[in-house]
Amino acid sequence: MSKNYYETLGLNKGASKDEIKKAFRKLAHEHHPDKKGGNDAKFKEVSEAYSVLSDDAKRSQYDQFGSAGPNMGGGGGFDPGNMNWGGFDFNGFQNGQGMEFDLGDIFGDFFGGGGGRKKQKRGSDINVDVRLTFRESVFGTDKKVTINKTSSCTHCRGRGGEPGTEYATCGTCNGKGSVRDVKRTILGSISTTKTCENCDGKGTVPKQKCKTCHGSGVTRKTEDLEFRIPAGIEDGEVLRLSGAGEAVSGGSTGDLYIRVHVERHPVFRKKGRDLEMDLHIKLSEAILGATRKVSFLDGDVDLEIPAGIEFNQILRVKSRGVATEGSRERGSLLIHTKIDIPKKVSKDLKKVIEELKNLGS
């Protein structure tokens, strides 16, 4: 029975080589028998389809004669060892008979790291929450957090040996810092490289271990970390301090992530680089105009209210908005006028309003 290799990979007949490779990579990850939920039969199907469509000559024959044509895998003689893996680096694979090969990046996550490539250890990241006042978020501020974390040992400077001690070549990895591990699978013997646990990838071991960290190169301690909150930061933003996370022996230090929570202000609101506020004025001030003293975040200002101002009209005060880190320029303060209408009106005021009404008509 003829097989539709394009359909197996979920492609159209005119698919490019990159599309074929990408489709195979995805399906191989999904159906690999050594992966939880994998499907051996499906994996063989997509492998067979890829072996044909990735080879120009075989693909040309398949397009003319189908899977029953010469040199196709449809006759039941599919041999993974004859596949054109097109950059997947499955060197030495032959019929699954125990030949050793290195996996490329396609199956790296199945077997603890890409074949032949040493993955550097990395410490864990740390997440903290910091609360800011509204004013601090507008102008920026310096903050400090106290964290109990794993840090590089200060006594041995992370080397794991007593100061002045000699270091010998690691007997486990012979100074390479990594060891080769071979696993037998359905595909054959799979070789991977991992960091040597005896020397943590350093290739050497101290003759006398550090008395403080007992040779691990790291210790757990409480640290005070200071950092700058930039001006204009928004609620929910996250700052990253590179290398301020957990340390790990033989690897790089993780990062510190700081999530900012900004308290609400009873008067002011942020709108990008501008600040907004509502200002309640009397009806008489709206009609005749007035001068009002308004308190801002950084001082008071005498605000001129023009005569005849309307409800919710915006008065702009420049350079009284949100500061920008590293810049002298600031946004504006946008003042929304709210005219308070009196609930009780005197006879004299009624008379004046009636006269204004008549003038308006």
Side-chain angles (χ1 to χ4, degrees):
M1 181 178 178
S2 182
K3 300 178 181 179
N4 190 329
Y5 292 140
Y6 292 105
E7 186 176 294
T8 299
L9 296 180
L11 299 170
N12 296 321
K13 190 173 181 179
S16 65
K17 281 191 172 183
D18 286 341
E19 290 173 329
I20 293 171
K21 184 176 180 179
K22 184 177 180 181
F24 171 68
R25 183 188 297 268
K26 177 183 177 182
L27 293 171
H29 272 290
E30 180 180 347
H31 298 303
H32 193 279
D34 286 352
K35 184 178 180 180
K36 185 178 180 181
N39 188 312
D40 182 39
K42 286 285 187 182
F43 179 77
K44 288 182 178 179
E45 286 181 13
V46 298
S47 298
E48 179 180 339
Y50 178 74
S51 71
V52 173
L53 299 183
S54 62
D55 185 288
D56 290 339
K58 290 184 179 181
R59 183 178 180 180
S60 178
Q61 290 183 15
Y62 169 74
D63 288 343
Q64 294 182 59
F65 306 107
S67 61
N71 300 319
M72 295 294 108
F78 169 61
D79 183 359
N82 292 325
M83 289 177 63
N84 170 25
W85 289 96
F88 290 122
D89 194 21
F90 289 176
N91 300 321
F93 183 84
Q94 183 67 34
N95 261 344
Q97 299 299 319
M99 298 292 288
E100 182 179 324
F101 62 90
D102 282 346
L103 282 178
D105 59 349
I106 185 171
F107 296 137
D109 57 341
F110 295 149
F111 308 106
R117 295 178 298 177
K118 183 174 70 174
K119 186 177 181 180
Q120 185 183 22
K121 296 167 64 177
R122 185 178 183 277
S124 300
D125 296 328
I126 299 175
N127 296 280
V128 297
D129 293 273
V130 172
R131 295 196 171 276
L132 303 178
T133 64
F134 188 85
R135 191 181 192 283
E136 288 174 330
S137 74
V138 171
F139 298 109
T141 185
D142 293 318
K143 284 288 183 179
K144 179 176 70 175
V145 293
T146 302
I147 302 175
N148 184 271
K149 69 186 187 80
T150 302
S151 303
S152 179
C153 178
T154 55
H155 182 65
C156 68
R157 297 184 179 180
R159 298 194 64 191
E162 273 293 304
T165 189
E166 294 181 356
Y167 286 78
T169 301
C170 175
T172 302
C173 65
N174 294 323
K176 296 180 179 179
S178 60
V179 292
R180 198 174 182 83
D181 181 42
V182 179
K183 294 181 181 180
R184 298 186 64 84
T185 73
I186 188 171
L187 297 176
S189 297
I190 299 173
S191 174
T192 58
T193 302
K194 62 181 181 179
T195 301
C196 177
E197 295 181 358
N198 186 51
C199 66
D200 287 320
K202 300 182 181 73
T204 59
V205 291
K207 291 185 176 180
Q208 184 181 2
K209 292 184 178 181
C210 174
K211 296 178 181 178
T212 302
C213 66
H214 307 292
S216 67
V218 293
T219 56
R220 190 143 194 104
K221 60 182 180 180
T222 299
E223 292 187 29
D224 291 331
L225 298 176
E226 296 183 354
F227 51 91
R228 176 71 184 172
I229 298 290
I233 196 167
E234 297 290 343
D235 180 62
E237 281 194 50
V238 177
L239 301 176
R240 173 175 170 262
L241 294 186
S242 179
E246 300 272 8
V248 63
S249 179
S252 60
T253 306
D255 300 328
L256 175 66
Y257 290 90
I258 305 161
R259 183 175 294 277
V260 172
H261 302 275
V262 180
E263 297 175 358
R264 289 188 177 184
H265 196 278
V267 176
F268 299 103
R269 306 178 297 275
K270 277 185 185 177
K271 186 179 181 181
R273 295 182 61 242
D274 296 330
L275 290 179
E276 292 185 314
M277 65 169 288
D278 296 332
L279 179 65
H280 289 263
I281 61 176
K282 298 178 181 179
L283 179 60
S284 58
E285 292 175 324
I287 296 173
L288 303 175
T291 300
R292 289 278 298 273
K293 186 178 290 295
V294 180
S295 296
F296 298 137
L297 292 173
D298 55 345
D300 297 339
V301 169
D302 290 330
L303 178 69
E304 293 294 331
I305 300 173
I309 195 169
E310 298 179 359
F311 178 82
N312 210 32
Q313 186 172 329
I314 297 177
L315 300 177
R316 181 185 296 270
V317 182
K318 294 183 178 180
S319 300
R320 289 285 182 166
V322 179
T324 303
E325 197 74 12
S327 173
R328 295 181 179 180
E329 294 183 3
R330 290 173 55 181
S332 300
L333 176 65
L334 307 179
I335 302 175
H336 297 258
T337 56
K338 307 296 181 183
I339 303 173
D340 294 334
I341 305 298
K343 295 181 179 180
K344 294 183 179 181
V345 181
S346 65
K347 292 182 179 180
D348 292 338
L349 182 56
K350 279 185 178 182
K351 185 177 180 181
V352 172
I353 294 174
E354 289 292 338
E355 291 177 356
L356 291 172
K357 181 180 177 180
N358 294 330
L359 288 174
S361 60

